[in-house]
Amino acid sequence: MALDPLAIRDLTEAVVGCVCAALARTAEEIEGQPGCPCRACVVPGTPAWDSCDDPCGDDAGGGQLSVSVARIYGSSDADFPNESRIVQGVRGCAPPPITALELVVTLLRCAPTFTEDGCPPTCEELNASAQVLHIDMVTVFNALLCCLPGTQQTRRGRRFVMGQQKTIGPEGGCVGLEQRVIVALPGCGKCPDDGEESP
């Protein structure tokens, strides 16, 4: 009845791959749109804004894509994704019917900034940056909507609730987006000293 120890790792890696593939497809379809950043990974805790430029060379997409875990908590079938208030400890190690995991997908790109002479970015530069951001916002949202159901091999697929997406920055030469999503994790691992698995 407990969670599989690799449940979070497998899901976060699948989300990185899914979003990265969607960004790459969008770049092929829209001229001038950068693809998946070469710096794309699962990170522990809040992602550091380490690099928004292109650390991989001229051919790679600049920026930084990260997936992190904001929180994990118990929920129920009837009330997902709300937090469960059911008292535990009544039946061995049985967790709540659903374990909810809140993921944060963060995508950063280079932001136009002041010139060496102290002049602000031009309207053309700001408009181009806004276009990249707006396309990224739709791409990330669509990627999660399309990919998450297939990350659990059941008849109904994985349950999830799309959370808020917001613009972050510009700050430190970076601008981008943060997308939250709450995902239901299946309880299918064994409890210690328990030979039975949940269906």
Side-chain angles (χ1 to χ4, degrees), residues 177-191:
L177 65 93
E178 178 186 278
Q179 172 70 62
R180 291 179 178 262
V181 60
I182 300 175
V183 183
L185 293 178
C188 57
K190 295 179 181 179
C191 286

Side-chain angles (χ1 to χ4, degrees), residues 83-154:
E83 190 170 349
S84 173
R85 297 294 181 194
I86 298 172
V87 176
Q88 297 297 301
V90 179
R91 292 183 180 173
C93 74
I98 292 178
T99 303
L101 177 74
E102 184 174 11
L103 298 178
V104 183
V105 179
T106 307
L107 177 60
L108 300 171
R109 304 283 194 190
C110 283
T113 187
F114 286 89
T115 66
E116 293 180 359
D117 300 329
C119 295
T122 65
C123 284
E124 289 77 12
E125 290 171 326
L126 292 171
N127 183 69
S129 179
Q131 177 175 308
V132 168
L133 174 61
H134 298 160
I135 293 171
D136 280 341
M137 293 174 85
V138 174
T139 302
V140 169
F141 193 88
N142 287 344
L144 294 174
L145 279 178
C146 295
C147 293
L148 278 173
T151 59
Q152 182 174 330
Q153 300 304 316
T154 62

Side-chain angles (χ1 to χ4, degrees), residues 75-82 86 97-98 159:
S75 187
S76 66
D77 285 319
D79 211 22
F80 178 77
N82 294 328
I86 298 172
I98 292 178
R159 289 199 278 178

Side-chain angles (χ1 to χ4, degrees), residues 14 22-23 28 34 40 42 52 68 77 92 107-109 111 139 156 187 191 195 197-198:
L23 291 168
E28 292 175 358
V42 178
C52 297
S68 58
D77 285 319
L107 177 60
L108 300 171
R109 304 283 194 190
T139 302
R156 293 186 302 173
C191 286
E197 292 187 8
S198 65

Side-chain angles (χ1 to χ4, degrees), residues 46-65:
T46 304
W49 293 24
D50 291 326
S51 179
C52 297
D53 57 0
D54 183 359
C56 306
D58 295 335
D59 296 332
Q64 177 177 307
L65 169 66

